């Protein structure tokens, strides 16, 4: 073996790890939560139903751009009628790409799914490491572009949350539990995006003198504070988007009635 922990020149330790704590809990929880989300999102993306109940639209189906969308759910029929499948199958490519290439999620799934390595100071089973220089992992370098696209989705989902203050007839002044769920989802997505490492670099990267760029310095300082909580925002926004979709699905399917405040 020419690489890995048993390669020549490395300390010859036969134990896989000398750690005595429960280091496996974190990667195990990562796998469980991500697999649960992937199963849920796949079922919902193919369902092509129960994604709109005025004034609420599921984040999985927004923006609904096909003429086959439920009436009222899509403002722009960009895809016309040629797209017969679920609109979510196109929409979800972008948030999925954003999360798959995210620096934090990379760490999480490299550890959880590939055990590369499973945790600090725990030997990985692989004998070879090619980093992110080859297909498909080289695609992780597209993260910055997914970040830009993610911002567009954040604006759209924020718009969805704002128009959820209208009732089904279009009159302003409505507020139900669904309005709060969509608002919370949009807020969490903004926190996730603004705490992104690429966002931090966009704000303050490649500057030689912060003193000459006071506005960018302030923005970089703000994003840097959020960035320390990026992992928490990553999980909270992932769960938030699933909860928002589930809530809309339950209301649209008639399983529950939206709790209306006014
Ligand atoms: Fe996680 Fe950019 S690093 S979203």
């Amino acid at each position: 073996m020419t690489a890995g922990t048993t390669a020549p020149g490395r300390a010859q330790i036969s134990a896989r790890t000398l750690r005595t704590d429960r280091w496996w809990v974190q990667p195990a929880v990562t796998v469980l939560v991500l697999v649960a989300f992937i199963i849920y999102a796949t079922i919902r993306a193919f369902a092509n139903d129960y994604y709109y109940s005025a004034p609420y639209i599921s984040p999985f189906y927004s923006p609904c751009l096909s003429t086959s969308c439920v009436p009222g759910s899509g403002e722009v029929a960009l895809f016309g009628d040629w797209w017969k499948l679920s609109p979510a199958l196109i929409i979800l490519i972008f948030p999925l790409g954003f999360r798959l290439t995210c620096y934090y999620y990379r760490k999480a799934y490299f550890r959880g799914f590939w055990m590369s390595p499973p945790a600090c100071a725990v030997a990985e089973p692989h004998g070879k490491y090619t980093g992110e220089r080859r297909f498909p992992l080289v695609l992780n370098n597209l993260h910055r572009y997914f970040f830009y696209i993610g911002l567009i989705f954040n604006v759209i989902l924020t718009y969805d949350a704002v128009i959820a203050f209208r009732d089904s007839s279009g009159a302003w002044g409505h507020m139900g539990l669904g309005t709060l769920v969509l608002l919370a989802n949009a807020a969490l997505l903004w926190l996730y995006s603004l705490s992104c490492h690429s966002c931090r670099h966009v704000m303050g990267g490649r500057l030689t003198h912060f003193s000459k760029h006071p506005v960018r310095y302030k923005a970089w300082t703000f994003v840097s504070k959020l960035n320390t909580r990026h992992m928490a925002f990553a999980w909270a926004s992932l769960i938030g988007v699933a909860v928002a979709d589930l809530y809309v699905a339950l209301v649209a399917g008639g399983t529950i009635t939206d709790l209306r405040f006014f």
Side-chain angles (χ1 to χ4, degrees), residues 48-99:
N48 200 12
D49 209 352
Y50 303 130
Y51 57 82
Y52 181 68
S53 175
Y56 308 134
I57 182 164
S58 157
F60 285 12
Y61 285 82
S62 183
C64 213
L65 298 176
S66 158
T67 48
S68 64
C69 291
V70 173
S73 65
E75 306 293 325
V76 191
L78 192 65
F79 298 153
D81 58 3
W82 63 268
W83 182 258
K84 306 288 183 207
L85 302 175
S86 166
L89 296 178
I90 292 183
I91 293 165
L92 288 182
I93 291 171
F94 301 100
L96 183 71
F98 185 37
R99 290 198 187 247

Side-chain angles (χ1 to χ4, degrees), residues 89-256:
L89 296 178
I90 292 183
I91 293 165
L92 288 182
I93 291 171
F94 301 100
L96 183 71
F98 185 37
R99 290 198 187 247
L100 269 180
T101 58
C102 162
Y103 288 73
Y104 166 67
Y105 280 114
R106 272 141 85 171
K107 170 187 155 187
Y109 67 76
F110 282 5
R111 290 185 172 192
F113 288 89
W114 293 339
M115 298 192 289
S116 181
C120 285
V122 181
E124 61 182 306
H126 311 285
K128 203 164 77 154
Y129 177 72
T130 54
E132 296 183 325
R133 290 173 292 130
R134 296 195 188 153
F135 184 82
L137 292 183
V138 72
L139 295 179
N140 277 333
N141 293 301
L142 295 175
H143 184 62
R144 171 177 291 230
Y145 303 103
F146 279 117
F147 162 70
Y148 294 138
I149 297 171
L151 293 181
I152 297 170
F153 276 82
N154 287 358
V155 170
I156 292 167
L157 296 181
T158 305
Y159 172 77
D160 289 342
V162 170
I163 61 171
F165 282 98
R166 297 190 308 195
D167 62 20
S168 50
S169 70
W172 291 95
H174 162 274
M175 192 169 96
L177 183 55
T179 315
L180 299 183
V181 168
L182 293 190
L183 265 184
N185 177 50
L188 287 171
L189 288 172
W190 277 113
L191 286 170
Y192 174 56
S193 296
L194 292 177
S195 63
C196 166
H197 293 69
S198 287
C199 179
R200 186 166 177 259
H201 186 262
V202 169
M203 295 302 170
R206 291 177 164 264
L207 291 183
T208 312
H209 304 292
F210 273 136
S211 56
K212 287 190 181 155
H213 304 272
V215 176
R216 287 185 68 183
Y217 177 64
K218 271 204 166 41
W220 176 83
T221 308
F222 173 69
V223 168
S224 296
K225 283 183 187 149
L226 292 179
N227 183 254
T228 61
R229 310 221 182 287
H230 189 57
M231 179 179 83
F233 294 141
W235 288 115
S237 59
L238 188 80
I239 291 166
V241 83
V243 167
D245 173 77
L246 180 63
Y247 188 84
V248 175
L250 292 175
V251 173
T255 311
I256 59 170

